[in-house]
Amino acid sequence: MAKKINTIAVLTSGGDAPGMNAAIRAVVRKSLQNGLNVKGIKKGYAGLLNEEIIDLQKKDVSDIIQRGGTVLGTARCPEFAELEVQQKAAEICRKHGIDGIVVIGGDGSYRGALALSRQGINTVGLPGTIDLDISCTDYTIGFDTAINTAMQAIDKVRDTSSSHERCSIIEVMGRNAGYIALWCGIANGAEDILIPEKYDYNEQSIINNIINNRKRGKTHHIIINAEGIGHSTSMARRIEAATGVETRATILGYMQRGGSPTCKDRFFASVMGAYAADLLADGKTNRVVCHKNGDFCDFDIEEALQMEKQISEYQFEVARQLSL
Ligand code: ADP
Ligand code: F6P
C-alpha cells in the first residue's frame, strides 16, 4: 500500500539552471492544492544535512517565476554518496515530518534521490540542468534559456570577429555533452562545431577549413567548442600559427547559467513541477519526471539512470553541410 503523505519538501541540487524557480513555485503551489504541507530545503543535500529547512506557503513563491538561479540555493555535496550520510539525511527528514522530497537537478542529484528513497523517504526527480545531458528525457529545465543566452553572445562575438577578419573560437558549457555547442553551432551558422561525442582531435582539418574559407573570401571563421573538449586558448594559438589568421578564444562561462528563464523553460518547469507534486501526493517514490516523444511521463530513477542518449547523427551532419 502507498505510504500516506502529509508533508513534502523541495530542494535544488547541482549546478543551478534558469527555470528552477518556476519549478519550485509549481511544486509548492500544486502540493498545497493537493492538501499537503510544504517545506523548502536550502542549498541541496548540504542544506538537508545542516537542517536548513523552512516552511513554504503560496505567497513565499510569488514573484519568482521570472527569476534566474534558485531562491532555495544549491550546492554540491560529495559526502552524500556515503551510506551513513544518506541514513542521517533520512533521519533528519523523519525528524522534520518530511515524507517526500522533490529533487530538482541532474543525474548526480537523482542518485541522491534514489539513495533517500532506499532509506524510506519518497522521492521524485525533476530534470534541471542547462546541459540537456539527462538520458531519460528529451528536455531539461534551463537548456532553452542557456542556448538563447549563448546564441546572443556568439552573435556579438561574430560582429567583432568579422570586422577584424579574425577566427573566433567560442567555448560553451555542457560538461561532457555537446548539446549546447551543437544547437548554437547550427543557430549561429558556425563554420566548425567541436563536440566531445564527435571530435576526432584532427586540428589539421580545421586549419585547412579556415585556409580554404579565406581563399573563398569569407571574412570570419566561427568555431564553437564544447567545454568537454576545452583548451580553447591554446587551440587559438596553434590555429593562428598554422593559418596566419588572427585567432581569439572567448569562453562564455557562467553567464550561460544565469538570466531570466525563457517562456519554454518556465512552461516546462511549471508542468513538470506540478507533475512531480502529483506523483508524491499519490504516494509514488523513486520516480523522475521526463518529456519524451512530445509527452510528459515518468520513469523509475534506477531505470532512468541506465538509459543512454546519443547526439543526432543527422543534426550533426546538417550542421556540417550548412557551414560549407
Ligand atoms: P547534477 O545533479 O547536476 O548531475 P552533480 O553530479 O554535481 O550535479 O550532483 C549533485 C549532487 O548530487 C552531488 O553534489 C551530491 O550531493 C549528489 N550526488 C551525486 N552523486 C551521488 C551518488 N552517487 N549518491 C548520492 N548522491 C549523489
Ligand atoms: O551542469 C551545469 C554546468 O554549468 C556544466 O555545464 C559545467 O560543466 C558545470 O556545471 C560547472 O560546474 P561548477 O558550477 O561546479 O563550476
Side-chain angles (χ1 to χ4, degrees):
M1 207 180 71
K3 182 167 115 183
K4 172 98 182 75
I5 303 293
N6 293 312
T7 301
I8 69 109
V10 53
L11 63 81
T12 48
S13 167
D16 64 345
M20 279 185 165
N21 285 327
I24 293 168
R25 171 181 175 271
V27 170
V28 171
R29 295 214 166 149
K30 191 71 169 76
S31 297
L32 289 168
Q33 274 172 31
N34 289 338
L36 304 179
N37 304 313
V38 185
K39 293 179 188 280
I41 299 170
K42 296 195 156 185
K43 301 180 203 155
Y45 295 120
L48 174 58
L49 294 170
N50 292 329
E51 302 189 44
E52 295 185 60
I53 299 168
I54 53 171
D55 290 322
L56 289 175
Q57 300 299 333
K58 236 168 121 178
K59 67 170 175 18
D60 296 320
V61 290
S62 290
D63 202 26
I64 65 168
I65 195 168
Q66 78 285 9
R67 285 168 60 188
T70 157
V71 291
L72 287 175
T74 185
R76 307 214 194 251
C77 175
E79 66 267 32
F80 209 74
E82 295 161 28
L83 181 64
E84 314 81 77
V85 175
Q86 296 159 4
Q87 287 167 339
K88 183 182 164 201
E91 270 315 305
I92 291 170
C93 288
R94 282 187 270 275
K95 178 177 155 191
H96 288 264
I98 295 170
D99 307 302
I101 302 185
V102 175
V103 172
I104 310 172
D107 276 349
S109 303
Y110 294 169
R111 290 181 203 283
L114 169 63
L116 276 177
S117 173
R118 286 182 176 148
Q119 296 302 323
I121 306 300
N122 286 14
T123 54
V124 174
L126 274 186
T129 170
I130 64 165
D131 302 332
L132 196 70
D133 62 347
I134 303 178
S135 299
C136 58
T137 182
D138 297 336
Y139 195 78
T140 64
I141 298 161
F143 177 70
D144 190 59
T145 308
I147 51 174
N148 279 290
T149 302
M151 181 188 74
Q152 286 163 19
I154 295 163
D155 279 344
K156 293 183 167 82
V157 177
R158 185 194 180 112
D159 287 344
T160 167
S161 197
S162 298
S163 305
H164 287 262
E165 302 197 359
R166 282 175 177 158
C167 168
S168 281
I169 303 176
I170 304 165
E171 188 172 310
V172 296
M173 275 188 164
R175 208 186 288 210
N176 301 316
Y179 294 101
I180 298 177
L182 177 64
W183 277 65
C184 288
I186 292 177
N188 291 95
E191 276 67 32
D192 280 295
I193 304 171
L194 314 183
I195 57 174
E197 297 87 340
K198 294 279 176 195
Y199 189 45
D200 57 4
Y201 291 85
N202 179 1
E203 226 165 75
Q204 191 56 47
S205 80
I206 303 171
I207 290 164
N208 295 344
N209 205 7
I210 295 169
I211 293 170
N212 289 336
N213 280 342
R214 278 295 138 128
K215 284 186 191 148
R216 288 169 37 227
K218 272 204 170 184
T219 53
H220 64 250
H221 192 102
I222 302 290
I223 301 169
I224 306 296
N225 186 30
E227 172 190 20
I229 294 169
H231 303 287
S232 296
T233 307
S234 56
M235 199 186 284
R237 273 198 298 272
R238 288 192 300 275
I239 287 178
E240 179 167 315
T243 60
V245 175
E246 261 194 316
T247 302
R248 297 281 194 271
T250 304
I251 297 166
L252 294 187
Y254 291 100
M255 66 175 299
Q256 294 161 95
R257 276 216 322 236
S260 178
T262 59
C263 177
K264 189 167 177 180
D265 272 331
R266 296 182 201 190
F267 175 84
F268 273 81
S270 299
V271 177
M272 286 177 151
Y275 191 131
D278 285 344
L279 286 175
L280 278 186
D282 287 346
K284 302 269 172 54
T285 185
N286 201 31
R287 308 298 294 176
V288 55
V289 179
C290 304
H291 192 258
K292 205 127 182 96
N293 304 322
D295 254 331
F296 293 97
C297 57
D298 57 287
F299 292 109
D300 176 87
I301 293 184
E302 241 173 319
E303 262 175 48
L305 287 171
Q306 280 163 13
M307 293 179 187
E308 283 180 14
K309 170 153 109 173
Q310 309 284 327
I311 283 271
S312 155
E313 292 285 338
Y314 180 72
Q315 289 168 17
F316 190 70
E317 191 49 27
V318 165
R320 207 187 58 77
Q321 289 174 349
L322 297 186
S323 72
L324 293 177

